[in-house]
Amino acid sequence: MYLLQHVELQVPSPKQDEVLLKMEATSINPFDLRIQKGIVWPFLPRKFPHIPGIDAAGEVFEVGSGVKNFKAGDKVVAVLFNICGGGLAEFAVAKENLTVSRPPEVTAFQGAALPIAGLAAHECLLRTPGFSYEKTGQQLNLLITAASGGVGQYAVQLAKLGNAHVTATCGARNLDLVKSLGADEVIDYKTPDGAALKSPSGRKYDAVIHCATGFPWSTFKPNLSTNGKVFDITPTPSVFMTYALQKLTFSKKQLVPLLMTPKKQKLDFLLNFVKEGKIKAVIDSIHPLSKAEEAWAKSIDGHATGKIIVEP
């Protein structure tokens, strides 16, 4: 069991290019769990104690001397890629270049749910040849696995804003939810077709946004179009090995590990979609910071519907 400890620390001071946030909400991502399990060591954590939480919504409390675009009192959304972590705290520091203004139409919970999950879904679509939010060009066939999870819910909604037919997998209890997000076909992953990832209408997938675990390449390959790609959002070492081998052999069908660098412009782009009501966060549960370990345990369980939120 991976445990959290509640500790008292000094309020951090923002560096020249940072803002200090009074936190209003954060959300838990699989990457937080990977850090805790040591999967990304020695890269992260680089300092102890490490405060988990990459997504942040809050109010600017103080700004560094070089910050030009924010002032105390501004409501913002940020990605907390700092050495000492972040979001599961009353205060956190964020780089100005990873912080965007949060419009009044977007709640703190909606803002905190967005950054890593939304950016991951968006990045997969940007890397899908032929995809367009302008709905130009030929319709693409997309498969989204674990479509009721944090990334999957955004992937369905964003794909349907573009030129995509979406087939999605999820558990039986979430079939109606995923349909309501816009999926054209929804499959219970425990059925034979769900286990085989087969489209009910017999379509071959131009891209797969793979948000689940446990599917070998051999399951994907027969379901892909000639140049089909599978984007794995939580790649394991075997995924990287398969990808390298496919590149060496010039394979047209590819398993692609998603490596994402958050960008302010992309976060602002997605936040505008939330503001306009084009996408929304499905929120599984909201937990007080004093009971963050309950949120953590729920994330480890792996069956949350949408995002798990923690508020101070």
Side-chain angles (χ1 to χ4, degrees), residues 80-97:
L80 304 178
F81 269 169
N82 299 298
I83 292 174
C84 56
L88 290 180
E90 294 173 319
F91 291 88
V93 288
K95 295 289 186 185
E96 183 183 20
N97 65 1

Side-chain angles (χ1 to χ4, degrees), residues 41 75 83 192 211 266:
W41 174 261
K75 299 288 189 179
I83 292 174
C211 309
K266 293 178 180 178

